[in-house]
């Protein structure tokens, strides 16, 4: 274990942040040594993102850092001017956001954006050195180390590829401190493990101090040396990961651990839907792509009433293309998509009100799913208006009920998306889908940005709707632990082809396809990670 007292690169003492007269972070103190990774966990609104952004000298609009000291790489961050802060960020301390689109300029190529980081470096580099560093960095984060890939624009990349480019931008100039805010959210298990190994290796090799903010406790068990648990703006527990996770002292920590899904945990028996319940959706001989690039190849499967079919696979396997084709947002396909034995028009705009109401989609990114100029009540109400003829009073009641079902307070109704956290935005998107009372819900990584307690409550809600209302779900996700605890069947996509499909327990316990075996082997597990920590390296 690193001696943090003598080698700390980050020192935070008594950090207090207020919004108006309310303290949202109170008296937070910690240190991070060079080469060490500190995990910061807690549910949405716990203050963990506020704390992490303080290392960059940033507070969100309306917030004030009222007390405490923040020292990063020997620099008093609070004493820096605006110009000094701009030079400090991205060089001494870098940040990887939850949404990769927030760190990328859509008008610039990957190469240009990476090159701009290096050009601003105080070290003088030749054009050839810059080109070589760009390709080397792309390869190190699992992207094609080719000039062709470097010439692509963000809109030509998958969500997983965008996140890896964001990480590449953060590490290419070898900072002293790396702040990671849910950087593997939405990534498939194989890519996630690669990114975690990469971050761990970079911090160890170059002595980078890492602060890893996440709701995913299995990630912390895998990568962090120590962990801080925050609740309502204060630290309720801290210590080495093994100690906190194996013998938590605080009840809140115990709740988090109980709610966290684990692919190796024991599960109670689950009753699958009746075989004769009927099929509400069928996909037959589906081929889809983008211009000359074919993404999906000859997909055929069915979804039963009240069934949850999980769709898993690596980034670029075609999961999102499939779900967008089903919902009518990707009409470039051949084959048939049947809804209640009726073929769906390829474009959503040509579908009937009944079809739109009955087949709803929840987008992967909570940051781009909502109209930034519409309040929560307006966004959810608009969806209700598209599905039902109702009075204003009926609509308001339906909206309030939908928001309450996803465990959001009533005061959120008047807020704009910009004032909400990622988890809160995702719950609004879920409420917007549920307010139409659909019979089929296509969920594209809908729980990826939610903390484990909210995730558990949303899964419980969907399970209740499945059980009592016959809701059918296509559940696109990278989280195999969640799949194991929730889905009835699982469909595995590899490069746009179905390589395995069957009952969840069977597929995950005894995968037949080599690709599925690799996915299951790469899945993170709190139990497995802790056992690995107890086993000395050979």
């Amino acid at each position: 274990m690193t001696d943090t007292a003598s080698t700390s690169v980050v020192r935070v003492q008594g950090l207090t942040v207020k919004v108006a007269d309310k303290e949202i972070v109170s008296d937070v103190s910690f240190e991070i040594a060079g080469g060490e990774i500190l995990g910061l966990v807690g549910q949405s609104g716990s203050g963990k993102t506020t704390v992490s952004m303080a290392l960059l000298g940033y507070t969100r609009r309306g917030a004030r850092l009222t007390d405490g000291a923040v020292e990063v790489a020997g620099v008093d961050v609070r004493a820096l001017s605006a110009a000094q802060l701009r030079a400090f960020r991205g060089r001494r301390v870098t940040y990887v956001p939850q949404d990769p689109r927030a760190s990328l300029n859509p008008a610039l190529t990957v190469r240009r954006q990476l090159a701009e980081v290096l050009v601003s470096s105080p070290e003088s580099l030749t054009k050839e050195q810059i080109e070589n560093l760009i390709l080397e960095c792309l390869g190190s984060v699992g992207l094609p180390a080719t000039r062709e890939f470097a010439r692509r624009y963000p809109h030509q990349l998958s969500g997983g590829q965008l996140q890896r480019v964001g990480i590449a931008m953060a590490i290419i100039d070898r900072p002293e401190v790396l702040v990671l805010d849910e950087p593997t959210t939405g990534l498939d298990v194989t890519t996630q493990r690669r990114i975690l190994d990469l971050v761990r290796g970079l911090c160890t090799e170059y002595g980078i101090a890492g602060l890893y903010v996440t709701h995913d406790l299995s990630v912390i068990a895998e990568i962090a040396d120590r962990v801080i648990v925050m609740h309502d703006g204060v630290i309720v527990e801290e210590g080495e990961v093994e100690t906190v996770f194996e013998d938590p002292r605080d009840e809140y920590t115990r709740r988090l651990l109980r709610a966290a899904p684990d692919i190796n945990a024991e599960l109670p028996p689950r009753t699958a839907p009746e075989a004769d319940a009927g099929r509400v959706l069928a996909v037959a001989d589906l081929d889809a792509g983008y211009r000359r690039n074919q993404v999906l190849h000859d997909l055929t499967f069915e979804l039963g009433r009240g069934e949850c079919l999980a769709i898993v696979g690596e980034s670029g396997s075609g999961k999102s293309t499939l779900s967008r084709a089903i919902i009518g947002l990707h009409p470039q396909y051949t084959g048939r998509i049947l809804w209640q034995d009726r073929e769906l028009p390829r474009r959503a705009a040509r579908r009937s009100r009944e079809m739109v109401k009955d087949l709803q989609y929840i987008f992967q990114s909570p940051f781009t799913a909502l109209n930034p100029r519409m309040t929560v009540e307006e966004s959810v109400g608009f969806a209700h208006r598209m599905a039902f003829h109702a009075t204003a009073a009926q609509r308001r009641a339906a909206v309030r009920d939908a928001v309450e079902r996803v465990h959001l307070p009533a005061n959120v109704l008047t807020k704009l998306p910009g004032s909400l956290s990622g988890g809160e935005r995702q719950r609004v998107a879920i409420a917007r889908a549920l307010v139409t009372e659909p019979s089929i819900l296509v969920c594209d990584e809908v729980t990826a940005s939610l903390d484990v307690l909210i995730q558990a409550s949303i899964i419980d809600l969907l399970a209740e709707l499945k059980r009592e209302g016959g809701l059918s779900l296509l559940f696109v996700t990278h989280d195999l632990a969640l799949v194991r605890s929730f889905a009835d069947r699982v469909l595995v996509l590899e490069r746009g082809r179905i390589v395995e499909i069957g009952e969840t327990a069977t597929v995950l316990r005894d995968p037949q396809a080599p690709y599925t075996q690799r996915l299951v082997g790469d899945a993170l597990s709190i139990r497995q990670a802790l056992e690995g920590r107890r086993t000395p390296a050979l």
Side-chain angles (χ1 to χ4, degrees):
M1 192 65 190
T2 309
D3 182 4
T4 58
S6 59
T7 61
S8 294
V9 179
V10 173
R11 289 187 175 91
V12 175
Q13 185 66 42
L15 178 66
T16 300
V17 181
K18 288 185 177 181
V19 172
D21 293 327
K22 179 183 178 182
E23 287 190 359
I24 58 173
V25 168
S26 303
D27 195 25
V28 167
S29 301
F30 61 88
E31 297 187 359
I32 313 175
E36 181 186 38
I37 296 178
L38 174 66
L40 185 55
V41 302
Q43 66 190 105
S44 297
S46 63
K48 56 186 188 295
T49 296
T50 300
V51 169
S52 69
M53 296 302 288
L55 302 193
L56 292 95
Y58 175 84
T59 54
R60 63 183 173 90
R61 181 176 296 179
R64 295 175 295 116
L65 201 164
T66 59
D67 199 8
V70 180
E71 184 181 303
V72 177
V75 176
D76 180 358
V77 175
R78 295 191 65 186
L80 297 178
S81 66
Q84 290 171 327
L85 272 175
R86 286 193 294 271
F88 183 70
R89 299 167 183 159
R91 185 171 302 162
R92 309 289 298 279
V93 56
T94 57
Y95 176 71
V96 181
Q98 178 178 341
D99 182 8
R101 293 168 181 83
S103 61
L104 300 176
N105 187 327
L108 300 181
T109 64
V110 170
R111 181 213 163 274
R112 175 75 179 274
Q113 298 190 61
L114 288 169
E116 285 188 348
V117 177
L118 292 173
V119 167
S120 64
S121 173
E123 183 180 352
S124 180
L125 299 171
T126 66
K127 182 177 180 181
E128 182 179 1
Q129 287 174 322
I130 289 175
E131 294 296 328
N132 289 338
L133 281 171
I134 288 173
L135 297 183
E136 177 186 341
C137 191
L138 289 175
S140 71
V141 296
L143 292 169
T146 65
R147 286 181 169 81
E148 184 279 327
F149 183 87
R151 286 195 293 268
R152 294 186 189 180
Y153 289 87
H155 73 272
Q156 296 173 309
L157 307 180
S158 70
Q161 289 172 327
L162 286 170
Q163 190 61 285
R164 281 176 277 177
V165 171
I167 292 173
M169 289 180 64
I171 65 173
I172 195 169
D173 205 26
R174 299 292 186 259
E176 293 165 82
V177 178
L178 185 59
V179 178
L180 304 111
D181 190 356
E182 305 277 11
T184 59
T185 292
L187 298 184
D188 62 81
V189 292
T190 300
T191 303
Q192 180 183 56
R193 186 171 287 277
R194 169 175 270 184
I195 292 298
L196 294 178
D197 289 344
L198 169 71
V199 171
R200 175 74 272 177
L202 286 169
C203 289
T204 300
E205 182 176 357
Y206 296 102
I208 298 172
L211 180 64
Y212 202 110
V213 182
T214 184
H215 65 272
D216 191 334
L217 302 187
S218 65
V219 167
I220 295 301
E222 185 71 28
I223 192 174
D225 300 295
R226 293 184 299 118
V227 62
I228 285 176
V229 182
M230 290 193 67
H231 183 49
D232 288 341
V234 300
I235 294 175
V236 297
E237 192 154 2
E238 62 180 306
E240 294 187 1
V241 170
E242 306 96 291
T243 303
V244 172
F245 281 14
E246 292 183 336
D247 186 24
R249 294 170 298 169
D250 191 84
E251 174 56 27
Y252 177 72
T253 308
R254 291 193 286 269
R255 285 176 57 207
L256 291 179
L257 288 165
R258 284 196 300 267
D262 195 312
I263 196 169
N264 291 324
E266 296 296 328
L267 295 176
R270 184 175 64 245
T271 303
E274 295 293 332
D276 60 352
R279 300 292 168 182
V280 295
L281 189 74
V283 174
D285 307 316
L286 184 69
D287 293 327
Y290 301 84
R291 296 184 179 179
R292 298 178 182 178
N293 180 28
Q294 186 172 349
V295 176
L296 301 178
H297 305 266
D298 194 28
L299 303 191
T300 298
F301 62 91
E302 294 178 331
L303 176 68
R305 187 177 305 279
E307 178 186 37
C308 176
L309 174 63
I311 301 174
V312 303
E314 292 177 289
S315 298
S317 63
K319 304 187 301 295
S320 292
T321 300
L322 170 60
S323 59
R324 290 173 68 85
I326 290 171
I327 205 66
L329 297 179
H330 184 80
Q332 294 81 34
Y333 69 82
T334 60
R336 305 173 73 206
I337 300 176
L338 303 176
W339 167 76
Q340 298 182 359
D341 296 323
R342 295 160 58 187
E343 186 164 358
L344 286 167
R346 283 178 169 77
R347 296 182 183 275
R350 296 178 180 174
R351 296 181 179 180
S352 67
R353 178 189 289 260
E354 182 185 13
M355 291 174 176
V356 172
K357 168 193 174 300
D358 208 42
L359 185 59
Q360 286 288 308
Y361 182 73
I362 305 174
F363 291 87
Q364 176 178 350
S365 172
F367 295 93
T368 57
L370 303 175
N371 187 326
R373 298 181 180 179
M374 295 177 71
T375 65
V376 170
E377 185 168 22
E378 289 168 340
S379 288
V380 180
F382 180 81
H384 189 269
R385 184 179 298 110
M386 293 298 99
F388 300 103
H389 296 291
T391 65
Q394 290 171 329
R395 182 160 296 119
R396 283 195 298 271
V399 169
R400 288 177 180 275
D401 179 65
V403 167
E404 183 179 336
R405 292 172 86 182
V406 297
H407 304 279
L408 285 170
N411 65 5
V412 81
L413 290 167
T414 58
K415 294 183 178 181
L416 293 171
S419 65
L420 305 178
S421 69
E424 289 170 330
R425 295 186 203 196
Q426 190 63 293
R427 280 182 276 167
V428 172
I430 295 170
R432 185 179 60 182
L434 293 179
V435 79
T436 71
E437 300 176 12
S439 66
I440 303 170
L441 200 55
V442 181
C443 304
D444 192 355
E445 302 282 10
V446 298
T447 60
S449 62
L450 303 180
D451 63 72
V452 291
L453 295 177
I454 296 299
Q455 174 181 274
S457 67
I458 293 297
I459 291 300
D460 287 344
L461 171 62
L462 295 177
E464 179 185 341
L465 293 172
K466 253 170 46 55
R467 183 175 58 253
E468 298 180 0
L471 180 68
S472 303
L473 294 137
L474 279 178
F475 205 80
V476 179
T477 184
H478 69 278
D479 191 338
L480 296 187
L482 189 61
V483 167
R484 181 171 177 265
S485 68
F486 180 57
D488 301 299
R489 291 190 300 142
V490 59
L491 181 155
V492 184
L493 278 179
E494 180 185 18
R495 297 181 182 178
R497 301 181 188 276
I498 298 175
V499 296
E500 196 156 356
I501 185 170
E503 291 186 3
T504 300
T506 302
V507 171
L508 297 186
R509 183 179 60 247
D510 186 25
Q512 299 301 301
Y515 178 75
T516 312
Q517 293 169 1
R518 178 159 59 86
L519 288 180
V520 173
D522 285 338
L524 298 182
S525 163
I526 296 175
R527 178 184 295 184
Q528 184 175 328
L530 294 179
E531 289 175 353
R533 288 170 179 266
R534 289 192 295 266
T535 304
L538 297 178

